Amino acid sequence: MQTTTQVKTPVVGKHVYGELYGVDEELLRDQEKLRKIVIEAAHIAKMHLVEVNSWKFKGGDKEGVSVIALVLESHIAIHTWPTYNYATVDVYTCGEHSDPMAAFRYIVSQLAPKRFTVNYSDRSYR
Amino acid sequence: MQTTTQVKTPVVGKHVYGELYGVDEELLRDQEKLRKIVIEAAHIAKMHLVEVNSWKFKGGDKEGVSVIALVLESHIAIHTWPTYNYATVDVYTCGEHSDPMAAFRYIVSQLAPKRFTVNYSDRSYR
C-alpha cells in the first residue's frame, strides 16, 4: 500500500529595507503621492494589497509622513523626515513569486534620493 | 559677537526583528490577544502609539493574523501563520530613549516560542 505524506509548503518571507538620503523635502511631505508610490510598489512586487494607511505629522522634530500597507501577509512601510530629506523604506513580502527588490527599486526611482542603503533579510520559516 | 549654530538632532531609528517558531496555534489565531500584546509592547518600548490595525485571514495557506501598529514615526508588526506555529515580529522605533529590544523580549515572552531568531538593524540617519 502506498501512502502519501503531505508536505507543508514553507512560509517564504523576503524583507528588503533601506535608508534614503537627500530626497526632495516637498515630496516627503506629500502624503497622497507617497500613498500612490506604495500602492504601485505593491503591484510591482506582485503583492496582494489588503489596506493602505497613512498619517501626516506636523510640527517639530516629528514632522513627516508614514505610509503603511498591509499585504498578504506582510507589509510595506515608508517613514519620512522632510527636514532631514530622509526616508526609510521597508518592503516585506511573502510567497515565492513576490519580488520585494523590484518594489524597493521602484520606490527609490520615485523618491530619487542622492544616496541610499539597501539591506535584505530572509524572513522565511527555516 | 558670539553666534550659535543650530545642530539638527539626527534621526535615531532602531529596528529589532525576528522569527518565532513553535508558538501555540490558537494564540496565533487570537487577534484580540495579539493586539493587546502589541499595545503593551509599544508601552514597554516607550513608543508613542498612534494607531493599531489588525486583520485576520482565513482559509488555506494564507491563514493567520497581522497586527501593525504605527508609532511616532515607525512601526511594530506581527504576522502569524498558525498552521506552521510560526510568527514574525518587527519592532522598529525612533528616538534615543526608545527601547525596541525590551518590546521584542516582551512579545517573545508572551508568545513563548520553542525557538526564535533576533536581528538588529540601525535605521538612523548616518
Side-chain angles (χ1 to χ4, degrees):
Chain A
M1 194 181 97
Q2 194 179 5
T3 57
T4 53
T5 308
Q6 190 183 359
V7 178
K8 283 188 177 183
T9 310
V11 178
V12 175
K14 309 169 189 173
H15 189 172
V16 176
Y17 59 93
E19 285 75 55
L20 280 53
Y21 297 84
V23 181
D24 179 74
E25 197 172 331
E26 288 315 308
L27 178 53
L28 294 183
R29 286 196 179 94
D30 190 340
Q31 187 174 358
E32 200 47 48
K33 175 74 176 167
L34 293 168
R35 280 179 71 91
K36 283 181 183 163
I37 290 171
V38 166
I39 291 165
E40 181 61 17
H43 176 71
I44 286 169
K46 299 188 178 73
M47 297 158 85
H48 180 97
L49 189 62
V50 178
E51 191 174 327
V52 182
N53 292 297
S54 60
W55 301 264
K56 189 166 191 172
F57 307 104
K58 286 180 185 171
D61 204 43
K62 295 292 188 188
E63 190 205 346
V65 171
S66 285
V67 181
I68 303 181
L70 179 79
V71 291
L72 213 57
E73 290 196 80
S74 41
H75 60 265
I76 302 180
I78 297 181
H79 301 290
T80 79
W81 289 262
T83 52
Y84 298 100
N85 306 97
Y86 182 62
T88 69
V89 176
D90 289 77
V91 184
Y92 172 14
T93 69
C94 282
E96 282 177 37
H97 301 294
S98 66
D99 189 352
M101 193 57 89
F104 186 86
R105 277 197 302 265
Y106 172 76
I107 293 170
V108 168
S109 76
Q110 294 300 301
L111 296 185
K114 290 198 174 115
R115 65 183 174 93
F116 67 95
T117 62
V118 58
N119 294 280
Y120 176 75
S121 181
D122 186 353
R123 308 296 299 268
S124 304
Y125 185 109
R126 282 170 287 178
Chain B
M1 194 181 99
Q2 194 179 4
T3 57
T4 54
T5 308
Q6 191 183 359
V7 178
K8 282 188 177 183
T9 310
V11 178
V12 175
K14 309 169 190 174
H15 189 172
V16 176
Y17 59 93
E19 284 75 55
L20 280 54
Y21 297 84
V23 181
D24 179 74
E25 198 172 331
E26 288 315 307
L27 177 53
L28 295 182
R29 286 195 179 95
D30 190 340
Q31 187 174 359
E32 200 48 47
K33 175 74 176 167
L34 293 168
R35 281 178 70 92
K36 283 181 184 164
I37 290 171
V38 166
I39 291 166
E40 181 61 17
H43 176 71
I44 286 169
K46 299 188 178 73
M47 297 158 85
H48 180 98
L49 189 62
V50 178
E51 192 174 327
V52 182
N53 292 298
S54 60
W55 301 264
K56 189 165 191 172
F57 307 104
K58 287 180 184 172
D61 203 44
K62 296 292 188 187
E63 190 205 347
V65 172
S66 285
V67 181
I68 302 181
L70 179 79
V71 291
L72 213 57
E73 290 196 80
S74 40
H75 60 265
I76 302 180
I78 297 181
H79 301 290
T80 79
W81 289 263
T83 52
Y84 299 100
N85 306 97
Y86 182 61
T88 69
V89 175
D90 289 77
V91 184
Y92 172 14
T93 69
C94 282
E96 283 177 37
H97 301 294
S98 66
D99 189 352
M101 193 57 89
F104 185 86
R105 277 197 302 264
Y106 172 75
I107 293 169
V108 168
S109 76
Q110 294 299 301
L111 296 185
K114 289 198 175 115
R115 65 183 174 94
F116 67 95
T117 63
V118 58
N119 294 280
Y120 176 75
S121 180
D122 186 353
R123 309 296 298 268
S124 304
Y125 185 109
R126 281 169 288 179

